[in-house]
Amino acid sequence: MSRYLAPALVAAPADLVFYSIDNAEPLIANPQDVCPSPPVGFSERFIHSEIYKAYPSITSVIHSHALPVIPFSISPRPLAACFHMAGFLGTGVPVWDFADAYADSNQQDMLVRNAKLGASLTKSLRGEIPSAKHSNPAKRLLMRGHGMVVVAQSIEMCVLCAIYTVQNAEILQTARGLGEEVKVLSEREVTDTRNTTAKGAVKPWPLWVREVEIASEIYRNLA
Ligand SMILES: [Zn+2]
């Protein structure tokens, strides 16, 4: 993971830190490749360590504070799949609530600061484990008043599902603003669009890579 900085600003090997899945502590596998003296750990690294611990076959976890999904984490109306690229969202994305997991002694600042909170969040990830053997591209959930987590079997698929989760939230919110009841995907449409999306990110991935390459004012590669 990135060291303690906004992940988009990662620019060199020294900006990366290996963490142990067992306890989320920094792990220096190769001082040549990673930050040799890890600074303060990324505070929410427990999201990642606990998910990887529970699902060894998972190779990518994205946690995001994307604004369009947050209204769905504090409203009783679910984030349901409403367009053809987001069938993996199903008919309603679960919302994990910090308040159900806090101990009185916890700092209640809406951050996943310890393994217990990370384990509680992991239990709320519903659905089959993403696998190349079947057609479930991702597990996903919303975190109340905070953001979302998407889990998949490859970085490409995880990015794809994260991007389409945000787009689905934007579409649904826009449609509801039109004032009429919106029509979301049926169970059958969810299953069939999910199967299609699971075939891969071959088409959109090069576009997203190119977008990063040309946005050199933000994204830098000093390696
Ligand atoms: Zn967060």
Side-chain angles (χ1 to χ4, degrees):
M1 293 180 63
S2 59
R3 61 182 175 84
Y4 193 73
L5 86 169
L9 300 182
V10 166
D15 293 329
L16 297 172
V17 176
F18 281 118
Y19 291 100
S20 164
I21 288 174
D22 286 339
N23 58 10
E25 291 301 317
L27 185 70
I28 301 178
N30 180 353
Q32 301 298 313
D33 292 338
V34 298
C35 182
S37 51
V40 176
F42 207 96
S43 50
E44 294 197 288
R45 61 195 186 276
F46 300 97
I47 295 173
H48 302 256
S49 62
E50 291 301 312
I51 290 173
Y52 287 130
K53 200 185 294 178
Y55 303 110
S57 64
I58 291 298
T59 57
S60 184
V61 174
I62 290 177
H63 167 53
S64 161
H65 302 159
L67 295 184
V69 305
I70 295 178
F72 294 95
S73 76
I74 57 175
S75 155
R77 304 183 84 175
L79 177 59
C82 71
F83 90 121
H84 70 291
M85 295 307 296
F88 60 91
L89 292 176
T91 53
V93 177
V95 178
W96 177 74
D97 192 340
F98 290 86
D100 297 332
Y102 278 141
D104 286 344
S105 58
N106 286 149
Q107 185 178 343
Q108 300 191 7
D109 61 354
M110 310 288 281
L111 295 176
V112 180
R113 287 187 178 277
N114 60 53
K116 190 161 171 275
L117 291 172
S120 170
L121 177 150
T122 300
K123 275 189 193 149
S124 293
L125 279 169
R126 293 190 201 128
E128 297 168 280
I129 301 170
S131 157
K133 291 180 184 156
H134 59 70
S135 54
N136 180 38
K139 281 174 169 288
R140 67 287 173 277
L141 60 70
L142 303 182
M143 301 160 65
R144 178 175 67 85
H146 185 128
M148 68 179 194
V149 172
V150 178
V151 170
Q153 214 210 8
S154 70
I155 291 174
E156 290 88 344
M157 183 56 72
C158 209
V159 169
L160 179 147
C161 290
I163 287 174
Y164 290 141
T165 297
V166 175
Q167 292 183 356
N168 191 94
E170 291 171 333
I171 293 167
L172 198 49
Q173 216 162 348
T174 301
R176 285 184 175 147
L178 297 176
E180 303 293 334
E181 195 57 39
V182 304
K183 190 167 185 177
V184 296
L185 268 57
S186 68
E187 291 274 7
R188 174 66 191 272
E189 289 166 343
V190 160
T191 301
D192 288 358
T193 56
R194 193 181 75 172
N195 291 347
T196 301
T197 299
K199 291 191 169 71
V202 173
K203 193 165 66 169
W205 181 257
L207 168 65
W208 295 327
V209 170
R210 185 71 187 129
E211 285 177 350
V212 169
E213 286 171 349
I214 64 173
S216 55
E217 294 293 312
I218 296 177
Y219 306 109
R220 296 179 307 146
N221 185 353
L222 305 178

